[in-house]
Amino acid sequence: MNDQSAIREQLMASYYFRHATKAFDPDRRIPAEDFEVILEAGRLSPSSVGYEPWKFVVIQNEALREKLREASWGAQKQLPTASHFVAILARRDVRYDSDYVDYICRTVKAMPEHILAKVPETYKAFQEEDFHLLDNDRTLFDWSCKQCYIALANMMSSAAMLGIDSCPIEGFNFDRVHAILEHEGLFEDGKLDIAVMVAFGYRAADPKRPKTRRPASEVVQWLE
């Protein structure tokens, strides 16, 4: 078997391995070096126009987990048993003319001044005309959340390649979780909000049935 074949097999094996784990083995903890890889997979993820509109909050505090469990019908077993639990926050301050976007362009991307002079109008046209992201605050926040889901997928896929289980969590009451995390001072004066949560650990039991998906013929179409 050549290197490419081995990589393909490893990738497919990890995707078949991954499933939405409902309960984790509470006695098993993810090694620090492995969890750093999972976090790096999120940090290095692509995002639309490179805004990186996310923050990963690793919640290990048991009292805070219990508060979240009471507001999260979809994480009743995951929150008490997961080795690591992450709240992925999305940025609200991603307008083309915000201080955050200026920081991304000027400091993170180190754009030269002649490029910086053109960027606001380019990004304004993209947000206002192309994708209608400035119609209201919700459309812009939802766009941020979409980027967070890219990071979420990469984190879960990377975990699976390391033999680590995961479960994305959308089963929660947004207002209640928002209030809990806001009380913890995590939203930087309204610049952030909850997008999605995710649990990581090692499965307490194997899935009761094999992975089910629609056939490729239904989800892939080639135009040649």
Side-chain angles (χ1 to χ4, degrees):
M1 182 183 298
N2 61 37
D3 290 344
Q4 286 300 105
S5 295
I7 291 170
R8 285 195 295 270
E9 281 201 12
Q10 182 184 15
L11 280 171
M12 287 298 97
S14 68
Y15 280 111
Y16 276 100
F17 167 84
R18 194 215 64 77
H19 77 290
T21 303
K22 301 303 186 236
F24 299 91
D25 183 342
D27 297 322
R28 294 188 67 187
R29 288 291 177 262
I30 299 170
E33 57 271 25
D34 285 348
F35 199 70
E36 282 300 317
V37 169
I38 293 170
L39 291 174
E40 276 293 276
R43 188 180 73 88
L44 296 173
S45 294
S47 59
S48 184
V49 293
Y51 279 4
E52 305 175 40
W54 45 58
K55 185 174 184 179
F56 311 122
V57 180
V58 185
I59 300 174
Q60 302 301 78
N61 181 277
E62 291 184 7
L64 180 53
R65 282 198 188 193
E66 177 57 23
K67 290 178 183 178
L68 290 171
R69 188 191 67 78
E70 293 173 358
S72 305
W73 55 267
Q76 292 298 292
K77 295 181 179 179
Q78 293 93 333
L79 269 161
T81 61
S83 170
H84 292 68
F85 193 86
V86 181
I88 301 181
L89 309 184
R91 299 204 70 92
R92 288 189 174 275
D93 57 340
V94 288
R95 269 183 61 105
Y96 67 92
D97 55 355
S98 70
D99 290 342
Y100 175 74
V101 168
D102 183 71
Y103 160 73
I104 287 291
C105 295
R106 188 179 303 275
T107 304
V108 177
K109 295 186 178 185
M111 290 181 176
E113 288 296 330
H114 72 280
I115 298 295
L116 282 169
K118 302 175 183 178
V119 161
E121 285 303 311
T122 301
Y123 287 172
K124 178 184 179 183
F126 166 68
Q127 291 189 337
E128 191 171 58
E129 300 169 16
D130 295 338
F131 266 64
H132 302 284
L133 300 177
L134 304 184
D135 288 354
N136 56 65
D137 289 342
R138 182 58 189 260
T139 54
L140 194 60
F141 177 63
D142 283 348
W143 177 68
S144 256
C145 289
K146 287 180 181 180
Q147 315 314 311
C148 290
Y149 275 69
I150 299 173
L152 169 70
N154 285 341
M155 293 167 76
M156 292 192 299
S157 295
S158 298
M161 292 188 71
L162 294 169
I164 296 168
D165 290 293
S166 63
C167 186
I169 308 293
E170 270 192 333
F172 59 87
N173 181 282
F174 180 90
D175 293 337
R176 292 176 65 190
V177 169
H178 168 94
I180 292 166
L181 299 181
E182 185 177 42
H183 184 264
E184 296 295 321
L186 296 172
F187 291 158
E188 297 180 11
D189 296 323
K191 295 182 176 67
L192 296 159
D193 213 330
I194 182 66
V196 67
M197 301 187 290
V198 56
F200 295 97
Y202 298 95
R203 64 189 66 180
D206 287 330
K208 293 181 180 179
R209 61 176 185 172
K211 186 184 292 290
T212 58
R213 292 293 188 274
R214 289 184 293 152
S217 60
E218 291 185 12
V219 297
V220 179
Q221 181 178 359
W222 288 69
L223 300 178
E224 297 179 345

